[in-house]
Structure formats: C-alpha cells, structure tokens
Amino acid sequence: MEKRVAVNHEEDKPEIIIKDKLNKVSKVDNSLLNGDFTNFSKGWTAFDLDWWNVIETQVIDQYTSTIKIPIDKVKELFSSSRRHGSLKQFARATNDTFSKFLASQVRIERQEGNRTIYVNTNIFDQSYIDDKDLTFVVQVKKSALPYFNDISNWTRFALEQATSLHSTYSKRLFMYLKQWRTVGKRTFSRDEFTKKLDIPKTYQPGNIDQRIIKPALEDLAPYFFNLNVTKNYGKGKRGRKLIGYTFTWKPEGKSTKDVGRSKILDETTHMYSILHNPNLSLKSKFRAVDRYRNLKLGTTQKYYEEQHPNSYFIDPEDTKRSPRSMLHRADLEGLQAYTTDTLINLCIFYERLNKEGELKADDMADLVVIEKRLFDQHVKNIEKYPADAYEPEKRTIAGSLINNLDVKDHLKDYKSDSIVGEIRRYIEQEFAEFKQGQDNRPGIHDLD
C-alpha cells in the first residue's frame, strides 16, 4: 500500500510516497546499468549494492522524487544473507551508504528541437533518517528522474534474489546476466569483466577463478539453470592469452515470473537447479546449497557424509522432522492456503523428479500429502461449481484419479484412505519411469 503526502519544506513542498510494502521486482534502465553505474558504484560493498537495488526498485515508475521507506522492512529483506545488528545500527550503516550515493553522478542526453542537451547531474538530492520511527527518506534529483520513469529498455529481476547473494561480485554478475535472461548467453572481454565487476587490477586470472568466478557460480546456481562459464583465448606474444569469459545457462521464458509463486515451489526449483547442474562438482553443489540456505560452508557436505540423507533436497538444518524433507521445512500445514494452480504446479514438479528417479523416501511421502491436498481441492471445486463446469487438470496423479475413479458422480462415497492408497500406488508405479527402472533408490514401499 502506498500513501502520497506533502513534505513540509517551504521551498518546494515535494510530493512524497510512503512505501508500507516494498516493491519486489527491480527494473533497471539498461543505459544506466551499462554506462554510469559501473563508474559511480566503484568500491561499493554488498550492503551498498543491496540498498541501491532497494531504492531503485521503489522509485521506478513512481513519477515523484521523494520516497519514504520503513527501515525494518529493508533490514528484514537483507537478513536472509547477513546479520546487521540492531535497527539503529542498521540505520547508521544506511546513513553511511547514502553518503556514497549522494556523490553518484549520471550523464543524460536530452533532445530539445534540433538541439541535443548534455546534462551531468547527481542522482540524489538528499536523504535523511528519522531516529524515532526509524524511517528512511530519499529524494531523487528531478533531473535524474528519466532513469526511473518511462524506461524503454530495462533489466528485470527479483529483489529478494539479488539481496540473498553473498558477495559484491555475485551481485554485480547477477544483474549483468539477468540482462540476457531470455538469451542464455553473455560474453565479456577480460577488461570489461574486470571493470563491470569492480575487480582489483592486481588480480591475476588464477585469483579471479578462485576468489570470484567459482564462488559466484555457486551463489548464482539456484537462479540460472545449468549455469556455466567458458574462458576465451586469443593469440599472445608467448602463446595463447585469456581475452574474456562466456557465461551460458538455460534461457528463461519471457513470461517467467520473478515473484508470486509459492515459497515451496521456489525452493524446490532452486534446489533442483543446484543439484542438476552438470557443470558443478559434487563439492561445489554442497557449497551452493550452503550458500543458498545461509549455512556455514561445509555443513551440507558433512551432513551428507555422516548420514546419507533421506531427501533429495539435502537439508541438514531441518529440526521439524527426522528423517528430513523439503516440505516439512516450509511446514506442510501451509498447503491449506495454496491455490489449486499452485498445488498443480508443485505436483507436476515433484512428479517429474519422481519419474527421473530423484525422489527419496521422505520426498515421496511429501508428494503423497501434496497430491491428496490437490485431490481434496478438486473435489471442493467440483462441489462448488455447476455440473460439468469444472474440469480437473489431468497432468497430475490427483487429476487422473478424479477422472479414473469417476469421483464427480460419487463425491459422498469416496474414502480418504483408499484415495491415499491409490496415490501411493501411482507414485510407486511412476518412480524412475524416465530411467526405465535402473535407479536403485528406495521405493514407495519403504515409506511404512
């Protein structure tokens, strides 16, 4: 919810937008990201980059220069990857960050008739923090507003994903790769890569590999399917010479959502992206899981070595159930609030993993629960709508059961236990179907 009020400044009385809730999707002007951003953001910390994305996301398409944000909302967003002390400590750190932002400058070209006007301007006029109610107010310079409104060419990404990354290099690379999200390929010259990621000039290729690229690939693995990097070489005076890097991944669909899906579906797809990346070693996959779940590096590998996990999703931090599983981390009771479409998408995803032979005993038990919840939701919808007005989705086990058992005509007669039994039978029958039964992992008969 947003409220617009006038700020009590006698000189211009600018309109102010109060952000009760943070916008979740960033939309960055590509001309800014490819141009001045590289220069004015040199030396910024991970904290600074996160705040930049927060402010940019809230100002975009607002057509006003002044935004007021509750600091606790931002701290909550940042806490997914780092701790920042008390709210007042966080506010002081924020004030230090904006002392850097106020020096940020951009160049703007403006057409006036047959003339081109070249403008050099700061992005922000001022910022201030109210120590009593801990709100943050930032005022964008009016001359810089074109970078935030009526943008014709932009890069879009989920704010929560950007803030969850752990290093400045990962955060910068994330933005530049997202520019090519639907293409699945981005090539940098060596000089361009060093400049855009703000890499020290003293770093040699070996340093860049170990300190920047390898950790970044682990950090970004949840958000770019099959992410990989290839080094490009050319002729040098003494043999071949490194001239650049090419990053590749599976292109995203243009209609792919950045936000708005269920937390469980997001976590399962992100874990799938990590564990199915053929370009990561097993150790790097474990480290990628640690980074994604904000665990100490080595935690997942140690857990895996000590006791083979009973879940494909490998969760050493789950204390709600032993053996551990993905869905009990997110609380299975939350399924009651999920829409039919969300349940369908979750079932389709889990069923695919089951057919690939990837699910383990606990995951199969979770799939039974999801399918039963979807089955019940289908029954409610059939009862709610007139005859033949509702057709269950047939791509899931629950939807197939509705049609095969002719539940529409016997809603009052179907027994919950028998439905659960049928769901379990389907899951067992479909396990490792894509691998033609060659996988030796536990089957559904091991759930009891």
Side-chain angles (χ1 to χ4, degrees):
M1 181 178 178
E2 298 174 0
K3 293 181 286 187
R4 295 173 182 258
V5 299
V7 178
N8 188 23
H9 293 309
E10 293 299 326
E11 55 272 18
D12 52 10
K13 294 185 178 179
E15 185 181 39
I16 180 171
I17 293 181
I18 302 174
K19 306 290 293 190
D20 293 329
K21 292 184 178 179
L22 297 179
N23 294 341
K24 297 181 179 180
V25 179
S26 288
K27 197 169 80 171
V28 185
D29 187 314
N30 279 337
S31 64
L32 177 63
L33 187 57
N34 292 329
D36 293 315
F37 177 78
T38 300
N39 296 321
F40 66 65
S41 66
K42 284 182 67 65
W44 283 7
T45 65
F47 186 81
D48 300 334
L49 288 169
D50 284 344
W51 254 116
W52 167 264
N53 282 325
V54 167
I55 294 302
E56 185 276 331
T57 303
Q58 310 319 307
V59 173
I60 206 77
D61 293 333
Q62 295 298 323
Y63 300 95
T64 190
S65 59
T66 308
I67 304 289
K68 185 176 183 180
I69 302 173
I71 286 182
D72 61 334
K73 299 291 184 185
V74 181
K75 185 176 187 295
E76 182 180 334
L77 179 67
F78 287 13
S79 293
S80 62
S81 59
R82 294 174 304 283
R83 298 184 182 277
H84 293 288
S86 67
L87 269 178
K88 289 196 173 183
Q89 289 173 321
F90 186 83
R92 285 193 289 271
T94 297
N95 195 48
D96 292 340
T97 285
F98 267 82
S99 67
K100 303 175 187 178
F101 287 5
L102 291 176
S104 302
Q105 292 188 339
V106 291
R107 294 162 292 178
I108 298 174
E109 294 183 16
R110 186 174 70 242
Q111 294 297 132
E112 292 185 2
N114 60 356
R115 295 184 302 173
T116 301
I117 308 298
Y118 299 93
V119 180
N120 292 305
T121 181
N122 287 78
I123 298 177
F124 302 103
D125 264 335
Q126 62 174 323
S127 68
Y128 60 91
I129 297 173
D130 188 324
D131 188 60
K132 185 176 182 180
D133 64 5
L134 287 173
T135 55
F136 171 79
V137 177
V138 61
Q139 188 170 0
V140 179
K141 205 168 187 66
K142 289 184 178 180
S143 54
L145 284 177
Y147 273 127
F148 302 101
N149 298 281
D150 299 322
I151 302 173
S152 59
N153 192 355
W154 65 82
T155 292
R156 191 188 79 211
F157 54 83
L159 181 60
E160 187 174 16
Q161 291 180 7
T163 58
S164 73
L165 302 172
H166 293 80
S167 74
T168 60
Y169 305 119
S170 295
K171 292 175 186 296
R172 290 178 185 274
L173 185 57
F174 175 83
M175 289 191 284
Y176 290 118
L177 296 188
K178 279 294 183 179
Q179 283 188 300
W180 300 83
R181 55 188 292 167
T182 60
V183 177
K185 183 177 181 180
R186 175 66 161 95
T187 297
F188 301 87
S189 69
R190 182 178 175 181
D191 289 343
E192 179 189 21
F193 189 71
T194 300
K195 185 176 181 181
K196 286 188 177 298
L197 268 64
D198 195 19
I199 299 172
K201 293 182 179 180
T202 55
Y203 275 29
Q204 297 300 312
N207 300 129
I208 294 175
D209 287 346
Q210 294 302 314
R211 299 184 184 182
I212 297 172
I213 293 180
K214 186 176 179 180
L217 289 177
E218 294 170 357
D219 228 1
L220 300 177
Y223 310 121
F224 297 89
F225 192 71
N226 284 353
L227 180 63
N228 193 27
V229 62
T230 302
K231 296 179 184 178
N232 305 319
Y233 292 92
K235 290 185 178 180
K237 293 181 179 180
R238 299 180 180 178
R240 64 178 192 166
K241 175 184 178 183
L242 178 66
I243 61 173
Y245 304 89
T246 296
F247 291 84
T248 57
W249 63 95
K250 182 179 179 180
E252 296 180 26
K254 291 184 178 180
S255 60
T256 300
K257 287 186 175 181
D258 294 286
V259 296
R261 304 193 310 172
S262 73
K263 182 178 180 181
I264 290 178
L265 187 56
D266 276 341
E267 290 197 4
T268 52
T269 53
H270 292 158
M271 286 295 297
Y272 181 84
S273 182
I274 292 172
L275 299 176
H276 255 66
N277 189 328
N279 308 303
L280 294 178
S281 66
L282 183 59
K283 183 176 182 179
S284 288
K285 289 179 181 180
F286 288 146
R287 289 167 62 91
V289 173
D290 288 336
R291 293 180 191 278
Y292 179 68
R293 289 182 168 151
N294 299 306
L295 305 175
K296 181 181 178 181
L297 293 180
T299 300
T300 300
Q301 182 173 0
K302 182 179 179 181
Y303 166 72
Y304 191 88
E305 291 171 349
E306 288 179 351
Q307 61 176 79
H308 195 67
N310 291 290
S311 169
Y312 167 77
F313 300 103
I314 313 175
D315 188 5
E317 289 296 289
D318 184 359
T319 58
K320 294 185 179 179
R321 173 184 176 185
S322 182
R324 300 168 173 86
S325 67
M326 167 65 77
L327 285 179
H328 282 72
R329 288 184 69 251
D331 191 0
L332 277 172
E333 295 180 4
L335 291 174
Q336 300 296 323
Y338 282 18
T339 65
T340 303
D341 285 343
T342 297
L343 289 169
I344 289 172
N345 289 331
L346 195 57
C347 285
I348 289 173
F349 187 87
Y350 263 73
E351 286 182 35
R352 187 180 77 188
L353 282 176
N354 187 50
K355 291 178 180 179
E356 290 174 353
E358 300 288 1
L359 293 190
K360 298 188 179 181
D362 287 348
D363 306 317
M364 292 178 179
D366 290 337
L367 179 54
V368 172
V369 175
I370 310 170
E371 295 280 4
K372 179 56 168 59
R373 174 72 188 100
L374 177 58
F375 182 94
D376 292 341
Q377 187 64 37
H378 281 321
V379 171
K380 288 182 180 179
N381 291 340
I382 291 171
E383 292 176 327
K384 179 179 179 180
Y385 296 103
D388 299 324
Y390 178 78
E391 187 68 30
E393 167 62 61
K394 296 179 181 180
R395 289 181 298 164
T396 64
I397 291 173
S400 297
L401 280 174
I402 291 283
N403 289 282
N404 293 347
L405 298 178
D406 200 18
V407 173
K408 290 183 180 180
D409 297 329
H410 305 89
L411 290 177
K412 305 296 183 183
D413 300 332
Y414 86 87
K415 296 181 180 180
S416 182
D417 290 345
S418 63
I419 295 301
V420 169
E422 283 297 302
I423 291 173
R424 290 161 65 95
R425 184 179 66 80
Y426 267 84
I427 293 173
E428 180 181 24
Q429 180 178 313
E430 294 182 352
F431 178 72
E433 179 180 302
F434 294 161
K435 293 187 177 181
Q436 300 178 346
Q438 294 177 0
D439 196 296
N440 294 319
R441 296 183 191 183
I444 198 69
H445 54 275
D446 296 314
L447 295 177
D448 298 326

